[in-house]
Amino acid sequence: MEVLLESGGERVALVRINRPEARNALNSAVREQLARIFVELAGNDEIRCVVVTGTEKVFAAGADIKAMADAQPVDMMLRAGERNWAPIKDFPKPLIAAVNGFALGGGCELAMHADMIIAGASAKFAQPEIKVGIIPGAGGTQRLLRAVGKFKAMKILLTGEMVSAQEAEAMGLVTEVVPDGEVLDRALALARSIALLPPLAARKIKELVLQGGDLPLEAALVMERHAFHLMFATADQKEGMQAFIDKRSPNFKGL
């Protein structure tokens, strides 16, 4: 299998791309396996947070160029790659990308599907599609724009040049930069801390951030207010507030 599903401990799942001979290039088999795994994890109530990663030297180096070189427009349309990206795009639980080495093209787009990106100090990010005569096709232009703004996004997209982890953090593309050897441990520790918190609230926060960002402020605030009210129908709200009053640790059950 090119994609491995492992336990991250404490209600955390670890999804690992394991195709080092091809720098973890996202060929159709990898994308199909990722889609199946994320569908499975979305329906698994035992899992509250997910970490996606690659190998120690490469997160994912983009799409398989050899598989696309002779393709025609209809070929690409019939491949319907968006179907395999949809389970990651629509994944309802917190998702953290642990990035070592290269996150290029589709690999950068995969990382941008996550809610947080933990990058190693030597990590490199790029959307180099323009160098082979195409453009990003899995949300690269749109997610990058929303993450870093027009002027930084334009430079990355129009030059295809790589940016360092430090540059990525400064422009808002990366959540944290840590030493290369600590990337996965930090991502898993963060995921486990989130998994201890009420999962319904975590899901709703993710939904509000992703959906509200493209709405007018007043409409987004109405959506937030309704979600805030809804939390008072959950057992976890009662538990969390009573634990605060009792000065004890809460036990959130996702109800």
Side-chain angles (χ1 to χ4, degrees):
M1 298 290 287
E2 292 89 348
V3 182
L4 307 176
L5 177 59
E6 305 170 8
S7 173
E10 301 175 23
R11 295 180 176 264
V12 172
L14 175 62
V15 179
R16 189 190 300 271
I17 303 170
N18 186 39
R19 199 179 174 225
E21 75 285 353
R23 299 202 304 171
N24 291 341
L26 301 177
N27 64 1
S28 59
V30 170
R31 295 197 303 275
E32 289 169 6
Q33 290 171 40
L34 283 170
R36 286 197 298 270
I37 286 171
F38 275 92
V39 168
E40 175 186 337
L41 292 174
N44 185 343
D45 291 338
E46 292 300 311
I47 297 300
R48 294 185 178 180
C49 192
V50 175
V51 174
V52 61
T53 193
T55 52
E56 292 182 359
K57 295 183 178 180
V58 180
F59 178 71
D64 192 330
I65 300 299
K66 291 181 180 179
M68 296 190 295
D70 296 323
Q72 297 298 314
V74 172
D75 298 327
M76 299 306 294
M77 183 181 71
L78 292 176
R79 290 181 190 183
E82 68 276 6
R83 286 201 300 260
N84 287 329
W85 284 103
I88 309 174
K89 173 180 70 71
D90 298 329
F91 190 63
K93 305 175 186 181
L95 175 60
I96 300 172
V99 177
N100 277 113
F102 297 110
L104 310 180
C108 187
E109 289 171 310
L110 175 60
M112 287 192 289
H113 276 72
D115 304 306
M116 287 178 270
I117 300 175
I118 307 301
S122 299
K124 303 287 186 183
F125 297 83
Q127 297 289 165
E129 287 87 350
I130 194 168
K131 293 185 175 182
V132 293
I134 59 173
I135 68 169
T141 61
Q142 301 308 303
R143 287 192 174 86
L144 191 61
L145 171 64
R146 286 159 172 76
V148 306
K150 171 187 172 182
F151 300 105
K152 293 292 187 182
M154 284 292 196
K155 180 180 179 184
I156 293 169
L157 294 164
L158 291 174
T159 67
E161 294 175 355
M162 289 188 285
V163 298
S164 69
Q166 294 76 18
E167 291 174 302
E169 183 183 31
M171 67 177 67
L173 179 58
V174 163
T175 307
E176 294 180 16
V177 177
V178 300
D180 291 334
E182 300 176 14
V183 173
L184 186 55
D185 286 345
R186 173 56 183 154
L188 288 171
L190 191 58
R192 290 169 191 145
S193 70
I194 293 170
L196 291 174
L197 298 170
L200 294 177
R203 287 190 183 205
K204 189 55 68 173
I205 287 169
K206 175 171 179 171
E207 178 184 297
L208 288 166
V209 171
L210 294 182
Q211 299 300 320
D214 293 325
L215 292 176
L217 178 59
E218 287 304 316
L221 288 172
V222 169
M223 185 170 66
E224 179 190 71
R225 186 161 61 249
H226 289 169
F228 172 73
H229 296 161
L230 181 63
M231 291 297 99
F232 286 81
T234 67
D236 280 347
Q237 173 267 324
K238 303 297 186 284
E239 166 65 10
M241 291 192 175
Q242 192 59 53
F244 179 85
I245 293 168
D246 295 343
K247 296 181 170 59
R248 62 175 172 82
S249 298
N251 180 21
F252 296 119
K253 297 182 178 179
L255 298 172

